[in-house]
Amino acid sequence: MDKTRRSPLARRPLAALTAAACTALLATACTGTNSGGGQDGSASGQDVTITFWHGWSQDNEVKAINDNVAAFEKLHPNIHVKVVGNIADDKAEQALRAGGPDAPDVVSSFSTDNVGKFCASHVWADLGPMLRKDGIDPAKTFPSAMLKYSQYQGNQCALPLLGDAYGLYYNKTAFAAAGITAPPKTFSEFAEDAAKLTVPDGDSYKQLGFMPNYHGYETAIAHYLGQYGSSYFGPDGKSNVATDPTVAAALTWQKQLVDRLGGFEKLEKYRTTFGDEFSSKNPFTTGQVAMSLDGEWRTASLAEDKPDFEWATAPFPVPDDQAAAYGRGYQTGTIVGVANGSKKQTAAWTFVKYLTTDTDAVVSFANAIHNVPSTLAALESPKLDADANFRTFVDIAKNPNSSTTPASINGGAYQVSLQNLSYEVESGRQTDLGAGLKATAEEIDAAVNQAK
């Protein structure tokens, strides 16, 4: 089963990865070339070959991207695309900084956290002028959260290329056994249901209603904060995690749920019994947990793995004082951009524009790898394969209240700082939340200033 594998907080050892990325950024910040050329002759029909680097590696992913490339080349027979797959961000960034004939012209990335440094260091070209020249209004083309994570301080150096939306998976069979008739919509309802669905077994569980711990699959603090619509930074660019009341509220709510469901130590011990997130041993698939926070790709996994219970999806609940925002969710996605140093930017932009704005191209790619389409038109397309369970995530992507984590000049370092605090809070090592948030905000600001 496939997905974009893009959420760094849940899918990779974020602290180590981001620290390395930040170190690389500080060593090379703002050294990107700005020597790209726009007129490569492709617009007048001259043959041009561009190189496209991407990170997909699984067979169906590679086939899907190659099918889109073939469709593009049929429409533009004079533009030839050399495709190189399974490329990590650090390798692509090094090549772009070095420049030269071996550097790619078009690059895609699974990590929206890197948009800030891609834009700030000018290794990816600002696509704003190209969009304006072709009469494309980004706000009318892309969902608001996706548009937000593909730009930094007015620089639209990337565009969305499929997305992930997060929602609630719930075990309908377990719900019926517990007398629960509908999925919860608010956090208080969610906590009640999680408690009803929890069946203790000594110092463990026969069934856990929900795994709230931050090391649980997809239960990172950023995903919870997506339900609050937290902003992370104020208008002055400084961290507002200590002054935005939703951050403290989220950390407090999670800690209360941890305590209610058995406490941090008991939950952590149970979490170590879980199988791999991306296999049939996922704890929701096995029935070890009755509710799960997860992305749209899981619908395809469950259809393939066929668990021995009925399941369904719904938007993840929202805070009680934001009940009107129910239907929102956290979003992230794949991004794609044009190398700022490319001498073939006309052809490169023609290709990027096709991948990101051609409705049939976006829909066919979404259908092939089971991700959420990244344009408003594609989300409404009748060609989109969307059963009721997948439709939940399509609706979340369309919801104007859905949110994401903003771009920062030093990537996801601010998320690492907040995540580290969240570990301290849930385990009980940090009991003064106000002081912890103040120190975290200062840490975030210092890191941002150092990266400038």
Side-chain angles (χ1 to χ4, degrees):
M1 203 46 313
D2 300 304
K3 52 193 201 14
T4 51
R5 303 183 305 279
R6 290 173 300 217
S7 174
L9 285 170
R11 298 178 175 84
R12 288 174 283 171
L14 180 63
L17 179 65
T18 306
C22 291
T23 300
L25 173 65
L26 295 176
T28 57
C30 302
T31 60
T33 178
N34 191 29
S35 58
Q39 301 303 318
D40 51 42
S42 61
S44 59
Q46 294 181 27
D47 273 2
V48 175
T49 297
I50 58 174
T51 302
F52 171 40
W53 283 11
H54 67 75
W56 288 284
S57 60
Q58 297 187 27
D59 290 346
N60 73 314
E61 297 171 335
V62 172
K63 180 181 184 303
I65 199 67
N66 287 342
D67 286 347
N68 259 6
V69 169
F72 169 79
E73 290 178 331
K74 186 175 181 179
L75 286 174
H76 303 274
N78 64 308
I79 302 178
H80 313 285
V81 183
K82 179 183 177 182
V83 182
V84 182
N86 200 20
I87 299 292
D89 276 12
D90 57 350
K91 181 176 181 179
E93 188 174 2
Q94 289 169 9
L96 291 175
R97 291 184 184 282
D102 295 328
D105 302 289
V106 175
V107 181
S108 71
S109 168
F110 292 146
S111 180
T112 60
D113 284 339
N114 287 333
V115 169
K117 65 175 185 173
F118 290 158
C119 292
S121 62
H122 304 294
V123 292
W124 287 26
D126 184 358
L127 304 179
M130 304 177 199
L131 288 161
R132 289 191 291 272
K133 181 180 178 181
D134 287 350
I136 299 171
D137 183 345
K140 295 180 179 179
T141 305
F142 306 102
S144 59
M146 296 188 189
L147 186 59
K148 183 177 181 180
Y149 66 56
S150 59
Q151 60 184 224
Y152 175 68
Q153 294 187 345
N155 185 336
Q156 190 72 54
C157 76
L159 288 177
L161 178 58
L162 300 193
D164 287 333
Y166 287 79
L168 176 70
Y169 285 76
Y170 62 100
N171 183 326
K172 293 179 68 176
T173 303
F175 266 47
I180 304 171
T181 58
K185 293 185 177 181
T186 65
F187 278 170
S188 61
E189 292 174 358
F190 182 75
E192 290 297 322
D193 289 349
K196 288 179 182 178
L197 291 161
T198 295
V199 182
D201 183 17
D203 63 353
S204 187
Y205 305 88
K206 292 182 179 179
Q207 175 181 275
L208 178 64
F210 178 74
M211 172 52 74
N213 288 15
Y214 293 118
H215 279 106
Y217 303 140
E218 306 296 355
T219 48
I221 181 61
H223 296 176
Y224 288 141
L225 288 175
Q227 303 309 114
Y228 285 85
S230 304
S231 58
Y232 296 91
F233 296 97
D236 59 358
K238 293 185 177 181
S239 172
N240 65 1
V241 298
T243 56
D244 181 346
T246 65
V247 180
L251 289 163
T252 301
W253 170 78
Q254 186 268 359
K255 174 60 173 169
Q256 290 173 343
L257 186 59
V258 166
D259 293 343
R260 183 170 184 178
L261 296 181
F264 175 73
E265 297 296 339
K266 183 175 180 179
L267 289 168
E268 279 295 281
K269 181 179 179 181
Y270 188 59
R271 187 180 63 81
T272 63
T273 69
F274 293 172
D276 185 77
E277 178 183 4
F278 308 130
S279 75
S280 60
K281 301 300 182 181
N282 178 284
F284 181 77
T285 307
T286 61
Q288 289 171 279
V289 297
M291 295 187 291
S292 179
L293 171 61
D294 215 333
E296 78 290 335
W297 63 84
R298 186 67 58 194
T299 60
S301 298
L302 289 165
E304 181 179 310
D305 295 333
K306 297 180 174 58
D308 59 359
F309 55 82
E310 289 188 74
W311 59 275
T313 65
F316 200 76
V318 293
D320 290 44
D321 62 355
Q322 297 191 42
Y326 178 70
R328 77 182 338 164
Y330 176 79
Q331 288 187 257
T332 184
T334 297
I335 50 173
V336 63
V338 172
N340 207 22
S342 172
K343 303 297 184 180
K344 306 168 185 177
Q345 285 190 0
T346 300
W349 164 243
T350 302
F351 179 55
V352 168
K353 180 173 68 171
Y354 172 80
L355 290 179
T356 59
T357 67
D358 183 282
T359 300
D360 284 346
V362 174
V363 170
S364 66
F365 197 26
N367 287 342
I369 70 172
H370 213 74
N371 284 158
V372 172
S374 44
T375 68
L376 296 171
L379 288 166
E380 300 289 353
S381 173
K383 296 180 181 179
L384 180 63
D385 295 339
D387 61 16
N389 285 317
F390 190 83
R391 179 63 58 184
T392 295
F393 301 95
V394 172
D395 291 341
I396 290 169
K398 292 192 293 186
N399 191 309
N401 291 315
S402 289
S403 61
T404 188
T405 37
S408 173
I409 193 171
N410 58 350
Y414 72 94
Q415 296 177 56
V416 176
S417 295
L418 187 56
Q419 187 78 17
N420 287 340
L421 173 65
S422 73
Y423 294 145
E424 296 292 307
V425 171
E426 73 170 354
S427 65
R429 293 190 295 267
Q430 172 58 272
T431 57
D432 189 337
L433 183 55
L437 285 168
K438 184 175 183 293
T440 299
E442 292 172 352
E443 177 181 303
I444 291 170
D445 288 341
V448 168
N449 288 334
Q450 187 179 9
K452 290 180 179 177

